[in-house]
């Protein structure tokens, strides 16, 4: 009886694949983003890493003496996407729809202002703000996304959800000038991000090797002033693989990835 039931359940999948070799099932397996997106959406290890980052961040914030906070003008700077907001639903939808990332499909997602928070993010930001420290959100979402981004921050009841504390990208993607704007009036005690460009300009447009060597130079900062969140789906770690060429075909990217793999034979 059990065998018959399994056969009935599995049959449509087999027939479906045979009739339509380009089905979601088939292509989903080939898409290089499938595994990292699934990791973000299903791996308890991903959740644990997020909690670990925010627990460590909380320890660092709590170690700041109250009298130092009382002097005023302390701030933290945080990125948004894959640092506070979980956008894996957009990435998953792209895979299911056989689409690649575009400005328009990204904005179709952000317009919904429905991104949930990474595990631990809301509690950390609320606790930091409650200690009297300002929060600045520096994101490379563009300025046309201000309204929906604020709506998303408010939907998560996050502190400092206003235009004074949200610095989106108006021209250049570099975040240095926006960090400098904050530093004119505040002392930044912590930065959070999933992309090393969220922390310092020394990582921008650098090769794979240079990025690693810059990360090594700053080894004292990670887990101290710099708190990193995991993102294996996208980011400048990936752009560096293709030497920042945006227009390579999927086949060309695949070939570059294979070339960069380091085996042992
Ligand atoms: Mg990000």
């Amino acid at each position: 009886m059990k065998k018959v039931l399994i056969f009935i359940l599995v049959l449509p999948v087999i027939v479906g694949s045979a009739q339509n070799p380009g089905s979601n099932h088939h292509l989903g397996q080939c898409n290089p983003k499938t595994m990292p997106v699934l990791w973000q959406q299903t791996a308890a290890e991903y959740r644990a890493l997020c909690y670990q980052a925010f627990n460590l961040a909380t320890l660092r914030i709590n170690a700041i003496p109250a009298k130092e906070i009382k002097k005023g003008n302390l701030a933290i700077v945080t990125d948004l996407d894959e640092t506070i907001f979980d956008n894996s639903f957009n990435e998953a939808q792209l895979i299911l729809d056989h689409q690649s990332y575009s400005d328009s499909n990204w904005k179709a997602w952000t317009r919904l202002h429905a991104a949930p928070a990474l595990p631990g993010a809301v509690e950390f930001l609320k606790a930091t703000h409650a200690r009297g420290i300002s929060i600045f959100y520096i994101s490379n979402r563009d300025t046309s996304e201000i309204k929906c981004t604020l709506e998303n921050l408010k939907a998560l009841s996050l502190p400092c959800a206003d235009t004074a504390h949200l610095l989106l990208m108006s021209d250049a993607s570099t975040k240095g000038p926006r960090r400098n704007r904050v530093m004119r009036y505040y002392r930044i005690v912590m930065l959070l991000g999933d992309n090393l460009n969220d922390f310092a300009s020394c990582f921008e447009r650098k090769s794979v090797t240079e990025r690693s060597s810059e990360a090594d130079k700053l080894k004292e900062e990670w887990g101290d002033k710099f708190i990193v969140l995991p993102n294996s789906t996208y980011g400048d770690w990936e752009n560096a693989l293709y030497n920042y060429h945006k227009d390579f075909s999927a086949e060309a990217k695949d070939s570059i990835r294979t070339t960069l793999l380091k085996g042992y034979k």
Side-chain angles (χ1 to χ4, degrees), residues 79 81 83 194:
D79 170 57
D81 297 314
T83 298
D194 65 297

Side-chain angles (χ1 to χ4, degrees), residues 79-83 175 193-195 198 231 234:
D79 170 57
L80 284 175
D81 297 314
E82 270 50 63
T83 298
K175 292 185 170 182
D194 65 297
N195 187 325
D198 297 329
N231 182 0
Y234 68 90

Side-chain angles (χ1 to χ4, degrees), residues 2 22 30-31 39 50 63 109 112 116 120 131 152 167 180 196 206 210 213 217-218 233 238 241 256 262 265:
K2 232 180 198 173
C30 298
N31 192 316
W39 184 71
C50 294
W109 158 250
L112 302 176
R131 284 215 73 199
N152 208 146
L167 288 78
N180 290 342
L196 297 190
K206 294 285 174 69
E210 288 166 335
S213 108
K217 283 186 213 162
L218 290 167
T233 305
E238 185 191 8
L241 300 180
I256 291 167
K262 294 174 192 164
K265 285 183 185 169

Side-chain angles (χ1 to χ4, degrees), residues 42-58:
T42 68
E45 287 81 357
Y46 172 75
R47 301 184 69 76
L49 280 167
C50 294
Y51 284 124
Q52 180 171 271
F54 288 115
N55 285 344
L56 185 51
T58 305

